[in-house]
Amino acid sequence: MSSKSAATSESLLDELQTTLAHGTVARRVETLRRVTDLFVNGVVDYSDDQIDLFDDVFQCLMHHIETSAKALLADRLAPIDRAPPLTIRALALDDLIEVAAPVLSRSERLDDDALIETARNKSQAHLMAISTRRVLSGAVTDVLVLRGNDEVIQSTVNNPGAEFSERGFTRLVSRAEGDDDLATCIGLRPTIPRHLYLKLIAKASATVRARLEAANPPLAGEVSTAVREATRRARSAPSAITQETAIAHALVKSLYEDGRLDEHQVATFAESGKFDEANAAIAALANVTVSVAENMMVETRAEGVMILAKVSGMSWSTVKAIINMRDELSGTEPADLGACKATYERLRPSTAQQVLRFHRMQETAPSAA
């Protein structure tokens, strides 16, 4: 810090003390402007302790000043990576969107905790501002998807820097029913889990399928207007398989070939909500293809899960974990576990094998023209 800057700081500190004790609102605003100028012009040279001091000063001055002055402060501090963190947080949590919007949409100083707190408690305008950030984590988009209105959802899905958790994608797929624009945007997200992509395609309108075909030429002619055919053919489309799905399948294949894939591992996958890993593991243990297992796993009812598990000789506790995982990820009404347990205990392995043979036949049967 130069001697000139130090002298300026000392005079400002004297002025600040007087302003806080006796100053009018207008004087506070003028002092805030001068402090902001000093900070912006010298921020690259300030130590963390000096930035903490500015943080205290800004927060003192922000009380009892008009909205326009706070909005101007937010606009000036938003693009600064080393902006005072507590001041930035206070601006982000302001009820007035003209104050909060600049930092919510641009400030790299805001952490996920502050963004999540804002998204949970503030207005749709606040959520809209957050949705435009350069980068959004899955934890933040979870809240945007849960609380956001249609405009917020569309903005978030259209943001190339937004990440989505599996739970977030599940909510989006459910929300997209009847909304062709949203369904198309979700279907074009490269990280959508494969089973949710299939669910989206199965429920999509002809318009959505046509848009996805146009955007993904390898899918042209493969996404049929028939729901069953759309689901079956989408499985064979490379663009429908995310990198995460491919990694999951490779992991399960390695465990199986090493003799380390067992019921306990399946239960672990299910309890962790890892659909792709659990699905591939069940497929390997039941000696069916991943696509057959996936088709049975995403059925509306839980019988498909129970058939696969019975053929694999799994206990009810593991079956329950798989059903719970499936219900949670799909966002559907939870299955009646008592009824499922009774059905599973009555189900004979020989009956399960017969049903599974039927599913294998369906996969190998030629499709209708």
Side-chain angles (χ1 to χ4, degrees), residues 110-127:
L110 282 177
D111 58 18
D112 276 4
D113 287 344
L115 291 170
I116 290 170
E117 181 179 348
T118 305
R120 283 176 176 163
N121 299 294
K122 299 300 180 179
S123 72
Q124 293 296 316
H126 288 71
L127 272 63

Side-chain angles (χ1 to χ4, degrees), residues 203-282:
K203 294 183 177 182
S205 68
T207 299
V208 172
R209 290 178 186 147
R211 290 175 180 175
L212 294 178
E213 288 172 359
N216 295 279
L219 284 178
E222 292 190 8
V223 181
S224 163
T225 54
V227 169
R228 186 177 297 276
E229 186 65 3
T231 302
R232 188 190 71 78
R233 291 189 176 188
R235 285 192 179 91
S236 63
S239 61
I241 303 176
T242 66
Q243 182 179 8
E244 288 79 6
T245 298
I247 292 172
H249 290 179
L251 168 64
V252 171
K253 181 180 179 182
S254 175
L255 291 172
Y256 182 74
E257 291 175 347
D258 292 345
R260 294 184 289 132
L261 186 62
D262 54 17
E263 178 181 349
H264 174 72
Q265 186 64 68
V266 175
T268 300
F269 287 144
E271 289 165 359
S272 301
K274 296 181 177 180
F275 179 92
D276 288 325
E277 289 85 347
N279 181 71
I282 294 169

Side-chain angles (χ1 to χ4, degrees), residues 17-52:
Q17 185 170 320
T18 303
T19 299
L20 292 177
H22 310 291
T24 63
V25 171
R27 185 166 180 179
R28 283 174 181 259
V29 170
E30 174 58 21
T31 303
L32 177 63
R33 183 192 65 76
R34 293 184 61 196
V35 171
T36 306
D37 287 342
L38 181 65
F39 177 79
V40 170
N41 293 332
V43 62
V44 294
D45 298 319
Y46 293 144
S47 67
D48 290 343
D49 287 341
Q50 288 170 324
I51 289 178
D52 289 342

Side-chain angles (χ1 to χ4, degrees), residues 1-304:
M1 200 170 179
S2 68
S3 58
K4 182 179 179 181
S5 296
T8 303
S9 298
E10 289 174 6
S11 66
L12 265 181
L13 288 175
D14 291 338
E15 178 182 336
L16 176 64
Q17 185 170 320
T18 303
T19 299
L20 292 177
H22 310 291
T24 63
V25 171
R27 185 166 180 179
R28 283 174 181 259
V29 170
E30 174 58 21
T31 303
L32 177 63
R33 183 192 65 76
R34 293 184 61 196
V35 171
T36 306
D37 287 342
L38 181 65
F39 177 79
V40 170
N41 293 332
V43 62
V44 294
D45 298 319
Y46 293 144
S47 67
D48 290 343
D49 287 341
Q50 288 170 324
I51 289 178
D52 289 342
L53 175 60
F54 274 103
D55 216 348
D56 292 338
V57 171
F58 281 129
Q59 290 184 84
C60 289
L61 288 170
M62 281 167 57
H63 294 298
H64 310 299
I65 63 172
E66 58 189 14
T67 298
S68 60
K70 284 198 286 187
L72 179 60
L73 176 65
D75 191 61
R76 295 191 68 187
L77 294 182
I80 300 175
D81 292 343
R82 299 185 68 220
L86 297 180
T87 301
I88 289 292
R89 182 183 178 87
L91 292 168
L93 291 169
D94 198 290
D95 288 337
L96 297 174
I97 188 59
E98 54 264 48
V99 175
V103 294
L104 288 177
S105 60
R106 290 185 285 155
S107 177
E108 300 292 336
R109 263 299 208 191
L110 282 177
D111 58 18
D112 276 4
D113 287 344
L115 291 170
I116 290 170
E117 181 179 348
T118 305
R120 283 176 176 163
N121 299 294
K122 299 300 180 179
S123 72
Q124 293 296 316
H126 288 71
L127 272 63
M128 176 61 80
I130 295 172
S131 75
T132 65
R133 291 177 64 83
R134 184 178 61 85
V135 175
L136 288 170
S137 72
V140 175
T141 59
D142 272 353
V143 186
L144 295 179
V145 170
L146 179 64
R147 284 202 65 229
N149 59 22
D150 290 346
E151 290 75 19
V152 170
I153 297 295
Q154 195 72 51
S155 175
T156 306
V157 173
N158 283 330
N159 185 340
E163 298 176 354
F164 296 91
S165 68
E166 189 152 348
R167 185 188 301 273
F169 270 122
T170 298
R171 289 192 178 117
L172 285 173
V173 170
S174 296
R175 193 152 181 170
E177 291 188 42
D179 187 334
D180 286 356
D181 290 338
L182 181 58
T184 302
C185 291
I186 296 169
L188 292 175
R189 298 290 308 193
T191 58
I192 182 171
R194 190 167 176 236
H195 65 286
L196 293 175
Y197 178 86
L198 299 179
K199 182 177 180 180
L200 180 74
I201 288 293
K203 294 183 177 182
S205 68
T207 299
V208 172
R209 290 178 186 147
R211 290 175 180 175
L212 294 178
E213 288 172 359
N216 295 279
L219 284 178
E222 292 190 8
V223 181
S224 163
T225 54
V227 169
R228 186 177 297 276
E229 186 65 3
T231 302
R232 188 190 71 78
R233 291 189 176 188
R235 285 192 179 91
S236 63
S239 61
I241 303 176
T242 66
Q243 182 179 8
E244 288 79 6
T245 298
I247 292 172
H249 290 179
L251 168 64
V252 171
K253 181 180 179 182
S254 175
L255 291 172
Y256 182 74
E257 291 175 347
D258 292 345
R260 294 184 289 132
L261 186 62
D262 54 17
E263 178 181 349
H264 174 72
Q265 186 64 68
V266 175
T268 300
F269 287 144
E271 289 165 359
S272 301
K274 296 181 177 180
F275 179 92
D276 288 325
E277 289 85 347
N279 181 71
I282 294 169
L285 295 176
N287 193 29
V288 296
T289 64
V290 171
S291 61
V292 166
E294 191 168 58
N295 187 38
M296 297 174 73
M297 287 277 280
V298 299
E299 288 176 354
T300 304
R301 298 167 65 85
E303 280 78 357

